[in-house]
Amino acid sequence: MRIAIGCDEAAYGLKVIIMNHLKEKGIEVEDFGADKGEVILYPDVAYKVADQVAAGTYERAILLCGTGIGMSICANKVPGVRAAVCHDPFSTERSRKSNDAQIMCMGERVIGPELAKYLVDIWLGCDFAGGGSAPKVERIKELEQEHIRAALSKNNAV
């Protein structure tokens, strides 16, 4: 599995820890985040990484900022992407099993490095369970496509 990872300057330290953790597990990681001391706007990182996930270049990604919230909001603007803030074991597991989230978002100012590594392991170990959640995820995809068609129709009418 290849994973994209991105961060702003608020989460550079956690990014390095998570990248090392993934590499120790033999997982290939590509860094789209801020370098040490670099100030970067998290929306730019989130969109770049989410575009890569939507295109299928990466199966999954991890986005990090101060809280994880901004990254999640931005990544979810990209069609075909489901990003979730993961700060506890249960929501981390459900983000994959129930929601088929391809992007995990965490905040360096919210959780510590050991918990972050633990949550990454949970997230990587879970797959979409389908079942009762499958129609809900399919509906998300349908609504997204309806929104895209409506926007295209509006643009063509102008």
Side-chain angles (χ1 to χ4, degrees):
M1 179 184 303
R2 291 179 54 210
I3 294 181
I5 191 166
C7 71
D8 64 3
E9 69 280 358
Y12 172 79
L14 187 58
K15 178 192 75 169
V16 171
I17 290 167
I18 296 299
M19 285 182 65
N20 289 335
H21 181 68
L22 293 170
K23 288 176 184 176
E24 287 172 4
K25 295 179 165 302
I27 296 172
E28 184 181 341
V29 184
E30 183 155 350
D31 184 2
F32 289 85
D35 290 324
K36 187 173 185 171
E38 178 184 20
V39 176
I40 189 167
L41 298 175
Y42 68 76
D44 296 330
V45 176
Y47 276 111
K48 188 182 295 184
V49 170
D51 277 337
Q52 293 289 315
V53 170
T57 307
Y58 298 92
E59 183 180 337
R60 296 195 203 175
I62 299 171
L63 291 171
L64 309 162
C65 63
T67 64
I69 297 167
M71 287 287 198
S72 177
I73 290 169
C74 292
N76 279 311
K77 302 290 184 193
V78 175
V81 168
R82 288 171 306 284
V85 176
C86 299
H87 287 148
D88 65 84
F90 184 73
S91 62
T92 299
E93 177 185 287
R94 298 323 308 170
S95 76
R96 288 290 306 138
K97 289 185 175 183
S98 296
N99 303 112
D100 199 18
Q102 313 104 309
I103 299 180
M104 169 188 221
C105 301
M106 294 185 288
E108 182 171 343
R109 295 175 181 156
V110 179
I111 60 173
E114 293 306 313
L115 178 57
K117 291 189 290 188
Y118 178 63
L119 296 177
V120 166
D121 291 345
I122 290 171
W123 190 71
L124 291 174
C126 292
D127 290 317
F128 181 52
S133 295
K136 298 167 191 170
V137 172
E138 283 305 310
R139 185 62 180 144
I140 292 169
K141 293 176 185 177
E142 289 169 3
L143 289 168
E144 190 172 66
Q145 290 304 309
E146 288 174 19
H147 180 76
I148 290 168
R149 282 191 296 276
L152 290 172
S153 176
K154 181 179 177 184
N155 287 341
N156 289 335
V158 174

